[in-house]
Amino acid sequence: MSALGNHILVEFMGCSPEIMNDVSAIERDMVGAAQKAGATVINSTFHHFNPYGVSGVVVIQESHLAIHTWPEYGYAAVDLFTCGEMDAWISFDFLKDCFQAKNYSALEMKRGSVNLLTRNDFDISTMRQKADEWVNPGMYTRNVWFTDKDENQALSLKYTGEVFHDVQSPFQRVRILESPKYGKLLTLDDMFMTTENDEFHYHEMISHPAMMAHGNVKNVLVIGGGDGGTVREILKHEGVEKVTMVEIDGEVIEACKKHLPSIAAAFDDPRLELIVGDGIEYVKQAAAGAYDLLVVDGSDPVGPAEGLFSVEFYQNCYNALNENGILIAQGESPKFNENAFAELNATLRGLFGEDKAPVSLFYVPTYPTGMWSFQYGIKGNINMKSFADQAAADAFVDAKGLRYYNTELHTASFALPNFVKDLLK
Ligand code: SPD
């Protein structure tokens, strides 16, 4: 029986749940399955669902490949619809291996049996002409999104589908992806950490306000900050004599050195001592009064960074600072994780004093809600809104070509909206 198309309805069972929930791997494998069978890929669009599951379609010149996954059952429902000479069983075999399917079944149907259809008499030459007028982009486009979310809100960035690095370290899943808008980006588990094109917002604001308010920082401890952006900014200050950086996950450092060299730009500075180890333990053992500045550049309070939000950790930070020392910590968002934001401030107020725990706000387009904070603990009498030497700070901004920080913004970043003040009460 002659037919227009061939449709294979596939059940893949006993698949790897991790793969079934991995939108980037599934997109890569579905496109790979099409290409392996010699298809011409026109477009792919894939979506990851909350809390889990992936759906997607690869449109090919020869029809389409589609998938819906249920990671909790290790199950994928796959459609392989082809026409012409393409052998969809090649795609089937390829996907079976990619998904590590233990069981599978397939139902093959012919679509459009020619002896059941009646050909009409439309003018095929006009149709051809119309088709020629349509401008094909000439390459296949991908529509793949990475989403950083909690149960109520999300921020999604389109990425190109390229995965430069994807390693499960002992602590977290470390990935480097590429976004058309923000360049290469680092994700840890399912959260955005930094991107090539907006990293300066975060790294300039975690470093320069404290440096400029203090004016004489020589000895710095950085906990976390594995991408290297924070130490890069701190080491721009010539008065800094020593920076010790303690990052728990060596995989983050290696991934960023390889794929994000503009961020991981200062790891060779002789003033930097880089330790791959547990920052929480390091601070516990640190000599009392050792540091002028202690920077906590951690990720969100889940996984390896959870301990970076504890009272005990900040008590040890307090002890490690000298009498004029400043603590600065990644403070979460008052619009995304309000509890972590408010609790951290309560911890810092409890340790440093009610009026010694200022909060600054800044804007990061690639963090959920865009509004993010740094939180301070001031041991001496430094006023975070002002400068040891404002003219020197202005000159530094010009000389280093800073793109986010300036002295007006420094002061303004400590002005808080009323709803944020209320959260901190
Ligand atoms: N949700 C993102 C929280 C910020 C984590 N730190 C970013 C590291 C940049 N050096």
Side-chain angles (χ1 to χ4, degrees), residues 207-219 237-240 292-293 324-326 382-384 386-390 392-393 396 405 410:
S207 309
H208 303 307
M211 296 296 298
M212 297 308 186
H214 187 289
N216 192 27
V217 169
K218 295 196 182 316
N219 196 15
H237 294 262
E238 274 143 31
V240 169
D292 304 306
L293 182 66
N324 212 25
I326 299 178
I382 285 169
N383 174 3
M384 271 310 305
S386 66
F387 310 90
D389 179 344
Q390 184 163 357
F396 179 91
Y405 175 88
H410 171 143

Side-chain angles (χ1 to χ4, degrees), residues 90-101:
I90 296 174
S91 303
F92 170 88
D93 283 333
F94 182 84
L95 291 172
K96 171 166 61 75
D97 294 342
C98 291
F99 297 165
Q100 299 165 19

Side-chain angles (χ1 to χ4, degrees), residues 192-193 202-203 227 297-300 330 367 372:
F192 291 116
M193 288 297 126
Y202 183 100
H203 292 126
D227 52 69
D297 181 9
S299 50
D300 304 285
Q330 187 278 102
Y367 289 170
W372 221 258

Side-chain angles (χ1 to χ4, degrees), residues 284-301:
K284 204 186 273 180
Q285 311 297 335
Y291 299 101
D292 304 306
L293 182 66
L294 202 160
V295 185
V296 184
D297 181 9
S299 50
D300 304 285

Side-chain angles (χ1 to χ4, degrees), residues 172 188 191 193 297-302 304-306 308-309 330 332:
Q172 56 210 340
L188 297 182
M191 293 166 285
M193 288 297 126
D297 181 9
S299 50
D300 304 285
V302 283
E306 209 172 335
L308 299 181
F309 289 79
Q330 187 278 102
E332 296 298 318

Side-chain angles (χ1 to χ4, degrees), residues 41 193 305 365 423:
V41 177
M193 288 297 126
L423 262 178

Side-chain angles (χ1 to χ4, degrees), residues 209-262:
M211 296 296 298
M212 297 308 186
H214 187 289
N216 192 27
V217 169
K218 295 196 182 316
N219 196 15
V220 183
L221 176 61
V222 176
I223 303 297
D227 52 69
T230 296
V231 294
R232 181 198 64 196
E233 290 304 309
I234 290 170
L235 287 163
K236 285 180 180 168
H237 294 262
E238 274 143 31
V240 169
E241 291 171 358
K242 167 125 202 229
V243 177
T244 307
M245 174 178 148
V246 189
E247 162 62 51
I248 198 164
D249 196 343
E251 188 61 44
V252 176
I253 299 171
E254 292 314 314
C256 295
K257 275 186 178 169
K258 188 159 176 205
H259 300 288
L260 296 171
S262 61

